Amino acid sequence: MTKESMGIHHITSIVGDPQENVDFYAGVLGLRLVKKTVNFDDPGTYHLYFGDETAKPGTIITFFPWGDAYKGKIGDGQVGVTTYAVPAGALAFWENRLAKFKIPFSKAKRFEEQYLTFDDPHGLHVELVERQQGEANSWEIGEVTQEVAIKGFGGATLYTANAEKTAELLEMVMGLEKVGEEDDLLRFRAASDLGNIIDVKLSPVGTGQMGVGTVHHIAWRAQDDADQLDWKEQVETYGLGVTPVQDRNYFNAIYFREYGDILFEIATDPPGFAIDESPEALGEALMLPAQYERHRKNLQRDLPPIQVRNLD
């Protein structure tokens, strides 16, 4: 019997200047910076995590900020649009907020839902949608109160080089339910109440190129290590190669590239982001994996300073 995915664990993207990244996602969108660490493969670069107050899976967006990296191109083989869910009645607040910060946006309607669509400072496509489902986010900063705060992911739109196979994988392997088709989109729903709506764009848009302003990968939730190994077996049975388990400190991860060329990860919910910081202090200090702790002084000297600022 096919397992049923709970939905998105996190989404990881490549961006430019790290302070611009923090200002937008924390200062404008009101997310909490829940972890400040380094790229395990390039420790001279930050790896920044933003989410709700308690850093729950389904709320976490992460970034590799390379200030001098080349610009990417959003296209097939990537997450094309990252969707955030806000409380019912909150879109008017967000219209005013985007206008306040002079962020161009447009309105769209699909599957009977209203969306605000816009780009972040480095070109990532982002949208907001009102949803009743999902626990409220108690994190507040500036004018972003609990009543309007982003709850977490609404979902994502996948741009794929092979829509038929990507859709087959989501339904037959990941266990998402196909719930509708409209215009050029096929919609799927996962079991959780956040990060659960995935739209697949049926027509190709041209091959994406990895770089600043593109999503690196999308990660799906596993309940624990045993569940992750079950997922690994299921994906391999489908005919895709899966990496060995990778220790990412805050979760364990496996990776595979699906037939539409999108990089998928399956990440465990535990141990979570409070493993090396108290819940009250998440994101305040530079947290390093053990292998880089002896380089802390040099890393702190070379990494550009960043801070969460109340832009209101």
Side-chain angles (χ1 to χ4, degrees):
M1 179 177 178
T2 300
K3 295 166 63 64
E4 293 184 1
S5 173
M6 293 182 289
I8 300 171
H9 182 282
H10 68 269
I11 292 175
T12 295
S13 300
I14 300 170
V15 292
D17 179 79
Q19 185 61 54
E20 291 177 354
N21 178 246
V22 173
D23 281 345
F24 186 77
Y25 285 90
V28 176
L29 295 188
L31 298 174
R32 185 182 187 185
L33 176 62
V34 296
K35 193 63 61 180
K36 180 169 56 175
T37 184
V38 295
N39 183 325
F40 285 13
D41 300 317
D42 178 16
T45 302
Y46 282 117
H47 193 176
L48 304 177
Y49 296 72
F50 299 83
D52 73 349
E53 181 167 21
T54 58
K56 292 192 300 291
T59 75
I60 301 297
I61 190 163
T62 98
F63 297 98
F64 301 134
W66 279 299
D68 57 354
Y70 61 86
K71 178 72 175 172
K73 175 188 174 185
I74 297 173
D76 297 332
Q78 298 173 357
V79 171
V81 185
T82 298
T83 307
Y84 280 116
V86 300
L91 274 191
F93 167 86
W94 286 103
E95 276 192 55
N96 292 333
R97 187 161 184 82
L98 294 173
K100 171 182 174 178
F101 288 101
K102 297 180 171 55
I103 298 167
F105 66 90
S106 60
K107 299 180 184 181
K109 183 178 182 180
R110 66 180 188 273
F111 297 102
E112 301 302 315
E113 293 182 311
Q114 297 289 338
Y115 291 81
L116 295 180
T117 66
F118 52 95
D119 287 353
D120 84 351
H122 302 126
L124 288 164
H125 297 335
V126 183
E127 61 186 13
L128 301 177
V129 63
E130 292 181 359
R131 297 259 169 87
Q132 292 280 1
Q133 302 82 10
E135 184 180 349
N137 177 10
S138 54
W139 183 251
E140 297 185 340
I141 180 172
E143 296 175 353
V144 182
T145 64
Q146 297 181 41
E147 290 71 29
V148 297
I150 289 170
K151 299 177 183 181
F153 292 122
T157 301
L158 306 184
Y159 291 179
T160 168
N162 190 334
E164 182 179 353
K165 293 295 287 185
T166 299
E168 178 183 288
L169 174 80
L170 291 176
E171 186 173 20
M172 305 306 296
V173 181
M174 303 305 295
L176 276 67
E177 178 188 5
K178 184 163 62 175
V179 294
E181 183 173 351
E182 182 176 299
D183 298 330
D184 197 34
L185 295 173
L186 196 58
R187 172 158 287 195
F188 295 86
R189 182 171 56 219
S192 183
D193 56 6
L194 281 177
N196 60 336
I197 300 296
I198 303 298
D199 291 339
V200 175
K201 187 169 176 57
L202 294 174
S203 62
V205 299
T207 303
Q209 296 176 340
M210 200 61 65
V212 170
T214 63
V215 172
H216 186 269
H217 64 267
I218 180 171
W220 308 90
R221 293 175 61 185
Q223 294 179 16
D224 51 30
D225 291 337
D227 187 42
Q228 183 182 64
L229 292 178
D230 287 345
W231 278 112
K232 186 176 190 295
E233 180 180 0
Q234 181 152 304
V235 174
E236 288 173 336
T237 299
Y238 180 68
L240 293 169
V242 184
T243 69
V245 174
Q246 311 289 314
D247 181 357
R248 300 306 190 195
N249 274 22
Y250 311 110
F251 48 86
N252 287 329
I254 56 175
Y255 302 86
F256 63 96
R257 198 169 289 277
E258 53 86 47
Y259 288 118
D261 211 30
I262 305 167
L263 182 59
F264 279 5
E265 173 184 344
I266 299 177
T268 56
D269 282 3
F273 293 88
I275 190 174
D276 55 3
E277 290 181 289
S278 70
E280 298 75 24
L282 287 175
E284 293 181 5
L286 177 65
M287 308 308 297
L288 298 175
Q291 65 267 34
Y292 294 130
E293 192 58 55
R294 61 193 177 97
H295 301 297
R296 173 176 289 275
K297 185 176 180 180
N298 290 337
L299 290 172
Q300 288 181 316
R301 180 196 65 208
D302 295 338
L303 288 166
I306 56 173
Q307 60 176 323
V308 174
R309 303 189 289 191
N310 181 351
L311 301 184
D312 293 308

